[in-house]
Amino acid sequence: MEIRGNQERNIAVEVKDLKYTYSKGLPYEKEALVSVNMLVYEGEAIGILGHTGSGKSTLIQHLNGILMPESGEVKVFSEKINNDKKFLKNLRRIVGIVFQFPEDELFAETVYEDVSFGPKNLGLTKEEIDERVLTSLIEVGLNEGYLNRSPFSLSGGEKRRVAIASTLSMKPKILVLDEPTSGLDPLGREEILKLIKRLKNDKNVTIILVSHSMEDVLFLVDRVYILNKGKVVFGGDTVSIFKDKDSIEKFDLSIPEIFMLGEELKKEGFDIEEPFRDVEVAKKEIIRNLK
Amino acid sequence: MIGKDSLVIGQYFPGNGLLYSLDPRNKILSFLFLMIIIFFYKSLFSFIPIFLLVLSFIIISKIPIKSILKGLKPILMLLIITLFFHFFFTPGETIFKIFFLKLTKEGLNKGIFIGSRLIILIMISSLLTFTTSPLELTKGLEFLSLPLEKLKFPSTEIIMMITIALRFIPVLVEEADRIIVAQVSRGASFDEGNLIKRAKSLIPILVPLFVSSFRRAEELAIAMEVRCFQPGKKRTYMKRLTWKNIDTIFLIFIIIFGSLFLFIK
Ligand SMILES: Nc1ncnc2c1ncn2[C@@H]1O[C@H](COP(=O)(O)OP(=O)(O)OP(=O)(O)O)[C@@H](O)[C@H]1O
Ligand SMILES: [Mg+2]
């Protein structure tokens, strides 16, 4: 954390002039990414925003070599992604992706089996696997009581957490999440967000969050990239984008209410030092003003 | 990943043109007629006009030749074997000889004749499926098989099942694609180890696929029930099939054109 804001931060992901077309050469080909440039530093959390069909999911599938660039390149920790089998295997350990509705991918008879699927594929020993399964379950707020339950007997929120745990058990350095909170109840949503924040703060995991929710973005990420029709149309830090009325309008975003509260209070003459990202900050600032 | 372009057989190719505007019943009848009539042709020369006709249909419908060739791929092996046996195992006047294999003049003629017929057959059937959406096709089939209902044959139910199955193939492919991507991201691999290990590696794909298919089937059943669907009852349609004048003209043209070359020796 000491070196944050410094030039010497490691680059975790570098995307250069990335272009990708689905069904290339067929009459129904679809240019999903036109030209994408993106830079993510180690230990930071970035958000990817954009309308449906803007290419967010396509972009993140390039980060662990599921899709290969048509042109341009993707580097993870300075290594260019290539087709080599060994390289890809290692890459998928470093970059963990939690896809949209990850609970649909649960398959095993017990939670243990599902969460251990990744580590088993890595060829770890039984002890290591057991240890990882337990730690990742605890990380997502579940306990060992769940180990022998069937994933299909869990509630939606619990399933989501098991699915996230099954990616965490690979101990990724970069965690990519595609709309991790969609379809969850408010409580479930808050817990997932806090979990992601913990991973970032305590374990220095680099977070790439794809989201439609401005609240999630404000709460979690340092910088955002906005995609539109396969191009990055905006890149900048989270707070400044919510302050900029023009971009808000131009990119059809909405300002989270808590953030608006901070801005309004400032207008009323309150001395607000830190922009309101969540309730904690708001509470702190308001109490300081009332003293 | 499975890739949507690997499912060419029976694939619809959205577009417009004469063939797209015809009634599916008409297309089924006309193309079926052509496919049957060429079995009665006795000379290779009869195939030429039919081939040209089909070719011009392909061109006016703007279907890439590449896709037609792809449709021919599955029968390539069959074609080669057919040609081989006809070329070398038809008794007659020998053209040349390698070891015990004799290429005969009769064999050459017969092989080319049967080979061309096979190719034209496939071309006609892919032309039908390329220019008719699966839903139209089943609707046409349903209508044409209505007389069978009189014989207590449950044709509407069967067609309904086919329609639903066709409707869900792309959904299933997409879903499988999605699941494969997710499991590969968790380090799964499907091309490692012996046969048993490979078969086992399919479980993480098949289980979620079954789970979601069952869920889908249930949702669909409920949705059909709340819309008062009752098996065996007569259905009405939002989009009715309409037989236009051009359909009559087309059908008559095909029948005349096809029969014209029946007698070339
Ligand atoms: N497998 C595919 N084959 C063909 N086209 C695809 C495929 N996947 C996505 N597309 C197309 O590529 C474009 C980008 O899709 P993508 O899934 O990356 O969007 P997205 O930004 O993730 O949208 P959403 O917010 O709805 O998840 C869309 O126009 C989509 O229709
Ligand atoms: Mg998406």
Side-chain angles (χ1 to χ4, degrees), chain A residues 112-132:
Chain A
Y112 172 83
E113 264 179 78
D114 241 310
V115 180
S116 65
F117 182 68
K120 265 185 198 151
N121 287 327
L122 298 179
L124 301 177
T125 64
K126 175 96 173 65
E127 287 78 41
E128 269 177 299
I129 293 176
D130 288 355
E131 195 267 326
R132 282 188 176 205

Side-chain angles (χ1 to χ4, degrees), chain B residues 72-134:
Chain B
L72 286 173
K73 222 160 129 201
I75 60 138
L76 195 64
M77 213 49 222
L78 183 69
L79 194 66
I80 290 172
I81 294 171
T82 313
L83 286 182
F84 176 81
F85 277 97
H86 279 102
F87 281 176
F88 295 107
F89 292 96
T90 315
E93 192 184 319
T94 311
I95 299 176
F96 72 83
K97 216 169 140 176
I98 350 169
F99 306 119
F100 60 95
L101 294 172
K102 285 193 298 249
L103 179 68
T104 63
K105 193 166 159 233
E106 285 78 2
L108 195 66
N109 283 339
K110 211 166 161 198
I112 291 177
F113 181 76
I114 291 184
S116 322
R117 190 159 70 192
L118 199 58
I119 290 176
I120 292 182
L121 273 179
I122 296 293
M123 280 172 74
I124 295 176
S125 64
S126 23
L127 194 57
L128 178 64
T129 53
F130 274 136
T131 61
T132 321
S133 75

Side-chain angles (χ1 to χ4, degrees), chain A residues 56-58 100 178-179 210:
Chain A
K56 304 181 296 291
S57 301
T58 311
Q100 236 163 333
D178 198 345
E179 310 227 14
V210 172

Side-chain angles (χ1 to χ4, degrees), chain B residues 85-252:
Chain B
F85 277 97
H86 279 102
F87 281 176
F88 295 107
F89 292 96
T90 315
E93 192 184 319
T94 311
I95 299 176
F96 72 83
K97 216 169 140 176
I98 350 169
F99 306 119
F100 60 95
L101 294 172
K102 285 193 298 249
L103 179 68
T104 63
K105 193 166 159 233
E106 285 78 2
L108 195 66
N109 283 339
K110 211 166 161 198
I112 291 177
F113 181 76
I114 291 184
S116 322
R117 190 159 70 192
L118 199 58
I119 290 176
I120 292 182
L121 273 179
I122 296 293
M123 280 172 74
I124 295 176
S125 64
S126 23
L127 194 57
L128 178 64
T129 53
F130 274 136
T131 61
T132 321
S133 75
L135 281 181
E136 271 188 318
L137 207 57
T138 41
K139 227 191 258 175
L141 279 176
E142 180 174 7
F143 192 89
L144 293 173
S145 65
L146 273 186
L148 292 178
E149 290 268 278
K150 298 241 159 49
L151 306 173
K152 293 265 180 321
F153 180 78
S155 76
T156 21
E157 274 99 326
I158 287 175
I159 294 287
M160 189 71 193
M161 274 156 61
I162 297 174
T163 315
I164 292 174
L166 282 176
R167 165 67 185 76
F168 279 97
I169 287 173
V171 177
L172 225 61
V173 171
E174 209 162 280
E175 186 110 2
D177 236 13
R178 217 167 60 92
I179 294 166
I180 291 172
V181 164
Q183 307 299 23
V184 166
S185 296
R186 291 209 263 163
S189 61
F190 310 108
D191 47 5
E192 266 172 26
N194 57 24
L195 209 61
I196 296 177
K197 213 170 157 200
R198 282 184 197 208
K200 265 194 173 158
S201 72
L202 291 179
I203 295 176
I205 295 169
L206 294 181
V207 173
L209 205 55
F210 270 111
V211 171
S212 73
S213 306
F214 282 128
R215 193 181 57 217
R216 244 189 210 115
E218 206 172 307
E219 282 167 6
L220 183 69
I222 292 172
M224 284 166 81
E225 215 167 307
V226 295
R227 285 166 178 75
C228 302
F229 175 85
Q230 272 179 310
K233 282 277 157 66
K234 194 171 153 37
R235 278 181 69 194
T236 52
Y237 294 92
M238 190 166 83
K239 270 194 187 160
R240 298 242 191 101
L241 299 176
T242 45
W243 188 278
K244 294 180 287 281
N245 286 338
I246 180 84
D247 287 301
T248 317
I249 298 170
F250 185 83
L251 187 57
I252 293 173

Side-chain angles (χ1 to χ4, degrees), chain A residues 20-23 28-33 49-61 100 178-179 210 212 227, chain B residues 4 174 177:
Chain A
Y20 189 81
T21 311
Y22 284 105
S23 314
Y28 43 88
E29 70 172 26
K30 168 85 206 171
E31 202 172 39
L33 298 177
L49 306 180
H51 284 293
T52 39
S54 56
K56 304 181 296 291
S57 301
T58 311
L59 172 61
I60 62 171
Q61 285 179 45
Q100 236 163 333
D178 198 345
E179 310 227 14
V210 172
H212 282 292
L227 281 187
Chain B
K4 294 184 178 78
E174 209 162 280
D177 236 13

Side-chain angles (χ1 to χ4, degrees), chain A residues 9-148:
Chain A
R9 281 192 297 173
N10 275 337
I11 293 174
V13 179
E14 186 177 5
V15 179
K16 256 196 214 152
D17 295 323
L18 177 62
K19 182 178 151 96
Y20 189 81
T21 311
Y22 284 105
S23 314
K24 178 98 188 138
L26 293 169
Y28 43 88
E29 70 172 26
K30 168 85 206 171
E31 202 172 39
L33 298 177
V34 181
S35 166
V36 173
N37 289 286
M38 189 172 87
L39 206 59
V40 184
Y41 291 102
E42 188 172 12
E44 78 169 337
I46 70 135
I48 300 178
L49 306 180
H51 284 293
T52 39
S54 56
K56 304 181 296 291
S57 301
T58 311
L59 172 61
I60 62 171
Q61 285 179 45
H62 281 87
L63 303 183
N64 75 345
I66 295 282
L67 298 177
M68 286 292 165
E70 185 186 324
S71 66
E73 58 178 34
V74 179
K75 281 187 188 163
V76 170
F77 290 115
S78 315
E79 276 195 79
K80 190 174 160 183
I81 293 186
N82 58 58
N83 241 328
D84 181 63
K85 244 183 166 175
K86 264 213 179 112
F87 176 84
L88 285 179
K89 213 160 183 166
N90 193 41
L91 178 70
R92 283 169 194 156
R93 209 186 58 197
I94 299 174
V95 183
I97 303 189
V98 177
F99 289 96
Q100 236 163 333
F101 300 108
E103 56 274 21
D104 290 351
E105 283 117 34
L106 298 174
F107 66 91
E109 281 170 55
T110 63
V111 167
Y112 172 83
E113 264 179 78
D114 241 310
V115 180
S116 65
F117 182 68
K120 265 185 198 151
N121 287 327
L122 298 179
L124 301 177
T125 64
K126 175 96 173 65
E127 287 78 41
E128 269 177 299
I129 293 176
D130 288 355
E131 195 267 326
R132 282 188 176 205
V133 169
L134 202 60
T135 18
S136 28
L137 272 187
I138 290 168
E139 263 169 355
V140 297
L142 301 175
N143 53 39
E144 61 262 55
Y146 283 86
L147 282 176
N148 288 319

